[in-house]
Structures are given as structure tokens and as C-alpha cells.
Amino acid sequence: MPNSFMTGLLKWLRWGCDGVESYSLQRKIFHVNVAALIAILSMAFFAVFNALTGNPALIRSNLLQIPFYFIVLVVPWLNRHGQAGMARWVLSLSITTAVSTNIWIANGSWLDLHFYFLLFALVGVVFFPIRQWASIVFLFVLNASLFIYCEYVGVKPDPTLFLLGENMTTMFRSAFVSTSLFTLLFITWLGEYVANRNERELEELSGMDMLTHLPNRRRMEQRLAETIAVSERTGQRGAVLFLDLDNFKPLNDEHGHAAGDLLLQEVAQRISGCIRKMDMAARFGGDEFVIMLSELGQEQEGARQRAAQVAEKIRIALAEPYLLDISSAGGDRESVKHRCSASIGVEMFVGGAMSEADILKRADAAMYQSKEHGRNKISFHEEKRHVWDNPELPTVV
């Protein structure tokens, strides 16, 4: 029950966010919905508090707030229906009007309710995009003026408020001042939290291939550079497998890109099922994939054998038939059976003797050797022996 309530509440707070591409505007809409919820809860809290005192002025204050409950509840509905600009103005003006009405008709400035005007003067920056600076300045000037007037000129309260007593009066003043400051701090913190979360999501998306949900070339190159640095410290060898599908284009030509996309997604799943969690598979674009294997051991032949075993496991997995469920031109579903092997090139590395760009180039060259030798094969990049292959060799080869 609590989980379903929280899920429903979060869904309600995100009303209007789903149809907006800009993370900045999503954050503004979310803040407005949160502020609407806080306004309703604050009014309800003080309504109960006022009723318990039995004071006629405070009870009249409760009655004055009733219309504003309904007005504030409209705000998330406006956001949900694409009226984010209207929602901002409705919320901003309704809460200012609600407090002003309360001060001039019942409470006056005696209970320090006007400290909420300081909060309202500042939250315009949270509600409105910075390009709408005129709206932000207007709300700041309006609310700051109301605060200054109440603080230095003053508004007379209803005489029955003096019946509350000193302790109750102090309690009300403390509650109004502290809740206004707490709300300001909470909304500021919430803004930072949502902004940081959006930044993390953007960072993840910038390193992800959206079709296969594998890391993309940029992320692979970063991870490879990190692995090379670790290898230089530990002496652990690694390998890069450069993979290209052998029979991908005919599927695209005959059944369209939708079928090709399904195949690429299946390929990504099969590759991921063949490697360890510490390893990484990435899509470089088109039908090219790169797999990085780390911590294969410090001994050269053993590391090479382990890389060959993983490459063979991937080659066998990808050579199995693919059964693709695609839509025909008439809208009907049909199953297409397709065979698509892979040519794989492997380059071993240890330490920082080669850059990540050089390692990828050599793995790519080895992949083309597999293509030239009949496809559906594995080739290691072979070149003259290097000093990093055997620490006992002299530094000049």
C-alpha cells in the first residue's frame, strides 16, 4: 500500500513532464507541481491548527482559504494538458493572493505571515525559465513590495487575535517564519537533486547506443583507456575483439531496416551472454561491435588462449539461426529465419605500449583478415614481436 501510494504521488508530481523534451523545462514543471502540493499541505496543516484554537479570526482565515485549494489543484492539471506557462502564473498569483487575503482580512502582519512573501519573491526563478526574466522580476518586485509594506508599515489584525495569548502568538510566528524558510530550502535542494539526476541520465545516454542499449564508441574508448591504465599498473593483459556481421546487408535489403534492427538487438544480447560482467561489449555503428576483455592474466600465451576461447564462444553463438518476428507491408506479422555469422579480429594488449586508437585499428585490421579468409572466422593481429610481448627482450627490437 505505501509503495503504490508513493508511485501514484510521484506520477502525479510528474504530470506534464513526459511530453517535454527539454530536461530544464521538465524540471520547472516538476517544481511547480511540487510547490502546488506543498501549498495544499501547508494550508491544510494551518487550517487544522487554526480550528483547534477556536479563535474567530483564525476560523474566518480558514474559510477564506477554501477557494484557493481548488485553484491550486488545477495547477498539475494545467501542466498535464500542456499549459505549463498558465500553470506557473496560476500558482504564483494564487498563493500570493491567498496570503494577502489572509493578512488584510484576518491576520494582519501581527503573526508574521508576510514572511511567505520572501519565499514567493524568490521561487519565480525556480518556476520560470530564465528567458522569461520579466516574469521573474515582476513576481520578485510584487512580493518584495508586499513584504516591505507589511513589515515596515504594517496591517492591523482582527482584534480577536489578541485573545490568543503570548505563547500561542509566538508559536504562530515561529511556524510561519520557519515553514517559509524550510519550503525555500526544500525547493532549492529539490532543484539541485533533479538537475544532478538529469545530468547523470544525459551522461548515460551520451555513452549508450539507443538501439541495442550497449555502450557506444565513445564510452568504449573511455573504458579502454581506463583499462590500459590499470593494465600498466598491474601487468594484467587484455584483448579487444572487433566484430563485423557477415550476412547483414541482404536482410536489410529484403525485409527492411526494422528486421535489421531486430537482428542487431539479438546480436547484442547474444554477445552480452558470452562475456563476464567486468568485460564490455559496445556497438560502434552499423553492424560493427567491439568487445573488450580485461584481466586475462599476466602470462602471454594464457591470456591469448582465454581471448581465443571467448571469441570462439561469441562466433558460435552468433552463427546460430535468428528467428525474427517482423511486420509485413500489409501490417501482418511474419517470422523470418536468417543466418548471420561474424568475422572477428583480436588484438592483445598490456600496459600503455599502445594507445586505445592503435589497439582498435589493429583489431579492425585483424577483422578484415577474417573477412579475406572466408568469413565466420577469428584472426589475431599478427605483426613483428614487440617489446611489450616479452619483458625480457631488449628495449630496441
Side-chain angles (χ1 to χ4, degrees), residues 111-180:
L111 295 181
D112 291 341
L113 181 59
H114 58 282
F115 271 84
Y116 272 101
F117 290 132
L118 290 179
L119 167 64
F120 303 154
L122 298 175
V123 294
V125 179
V126 179
F127 293 167
F128 289 85
I130 197 66
R131 65 177 181 273
Q132 297 180 8
W133 59 269
S135 300
I136 298 172
V137 171
F138 171 78
L139 290 173
F140 177 83
V141 172
L142 172 64
N143 287 284
S145 301
L146 289 170
F147 173 78
I148 292 171
Y149 182 87
C150 292
E151 180 70 14
Y152 295 102
V153 178
V155 179
K156 290 183 179 180
D158 187 297
T160 59
L161 282 178
F162 297 115
L163 300 175
L164 288 174
E166 185 177 351
N167 291 336
M168 187 64 70
T169 300
T170 302
M171 188 181 300
F172 268 103
R173 286 173 175 168
S174 301
F176 287 139
V177 174
S178 60
T179 53
S180 62

Side-chain angles (χ1 to χ4, degrees), residues 100-112:
S100 300
T101 303
N102 213 325
I103 289 174
W104 261 268
I105 296 181
N107 289 358
S109 53
W110 190 54
L111 295 181
D112 291 341

Side-chain angles (χ1 to χ4, degrees), residues 209 212 214 220 241-245 263-265 267-269 271 281-291 318 343:
D209 175 64
T212 61
L214 290 178
M220 171 59 83
L241 283 59
F242 206 112
L243 179 156
D244 186 86
L245 302 179
L263 178 67
L264 292 173
Q265 291 170 346
V267 167
Q269 292 178 9
I271 293 174
R283 183 186 175 210
F284 263 37
D287 58 346
E288 292 182 338
F289 294 82
V290 171
I291 300 96
L318 298 185
S343 297

Side-chain angles (χ1 to χ4, degrees), residues 136-303:
I136 298 172
V137 171
F138 171 78
L139 290 173
F140 177 83
V141 172
L142 172 64
N143 287 284
S145 301
L146 289 170
F147 173 78
I148 292 171
Y149 182 87
C150 292
E151 180 70 14
Y152 295 102
V153 178
V155 179
K156 290 183 179 180
D158 187 297
T160 59
L161 282 178
F162 297 115
L163 300 175
L164 288 174
E166 185 177 351
N167 291 336
M168 187 64 70
T169 300
T170 302
M171 188 181 300
F172 268 103
R173 286 173 175 168
S174 301
F176 287 139
V177 174
S178 60
T179 53
S180 62
L181 293 175
F182 170 79
T183 303
L184 178 60
L185 291 173
F186 176 75
I187 292 178
T188 303
W189 169 82
L190 185 65
E192 287 298 315
Y193 172 78
V194 175
N196 290 336
R197 189 187 66 178
N198 290 342
E199 287 176 5
R200 289 194 300 270
E201 290 179 357
L202 285 173
E203 186 176 351
E204 290 176 2
L205 290 175
S206 68
M208 179 186 295
D209 175 64
M210 299 306 295
L211 176 63
T212 61
H213 298 292
L214 290 178
N216 58 18
R217 181 179 192 127
R218 173 177 169 272
R219 183 69 188 102
M220 171 59 83
E221 290 175 345
Q222 291 176 345
R223 178 73 176 276
L224 180 57
E226 295 168 2
T227 305
I228 291 172
V230 172
S231 174
E232 192 167 13
R233 292 196 304 269
T234 64
Q236 287 283 339
R237 295 175 181 268
V240 167
L241 283 59
F242 206 112
L243 179 156
D244 186 86
L245 302 179
D246 294 325
N247 195 30
F248 178 71
K249 189 174 183 299
L251 176 68
N252 257 352
D253 294 341
E254 184 176 353
H255 298 285
H257 291 289
D261 289 347
L262 289 175
L263 178 67
L264 292 173
Q265 291 170 346
E266 178 66 23
V267 167
Q269 292 178 9
R270 294 187 185 186
I271 293 174
S272 298
C274 294
I275 61 177
R276 303 166 298 177
K277 289 184 178 181
M278 70 174 65
D279 302 322
M280 174 182 277
R283 183 186 175 210
F284 263 37
D287 58 346
E288 292 182 338
F289 294 82
V290 171
I291 300 96
M292 185 192 66
L293 309 177
S294 59
E295 297 186 18
L296 296 176
Q298 297 179 339
E299 197 272 324
Q300 179 182 348
E301 288 304 318

Side-chain angles (χ1 to χ4, degrees), residues 318-370:
L318 298 185
E320 292 293 322
Y322 296 84
L323 190 62
L324 307 174
D325 186 22
I326 62 175
S327 298
S328 62
D332 298 328
R333 307 292 296 181
E334 64 173 322
S335 294
V336 174
K337 189 175 183 179
H338 185 74
R339 289 186 176 274
C340 186
S341 59
S343 297
I344 304 175
V346 185
E347 171 65 8
M348 305 297 299
F349 66 88
V350 61
M354 290 187 291
S355 68
E356 59 270 19
D358 290 335
I359 294 171
L360 290 169
K361 286 178 182 177
R362 294 179 180 215
D364 187 27
M367 181 271 293
Y368 279 105
Q369 292 177 11
S370 296

Side-chain angles (χ1 to χ4, degrees), residues 8-20 23 26-27 29-30 33-34 76 79-80 194 197-198 201:
L9 178 62
L10 289 174
K11 186 177 180 180
W12 183 76
L13 291 175
R14 288 193 57 82
W15 272 10
C17 296
D18 295 338
V20 179
Y23 277 105
Q26 284 185 23
R27 189 164 67 249
I29 293 171
F30 182 73
N33 288 339
V34 170
N79 278 327
R80 189 180 188 183
V194 175
R197 189 187 66 178
N198 290 342
E201 290 179 357

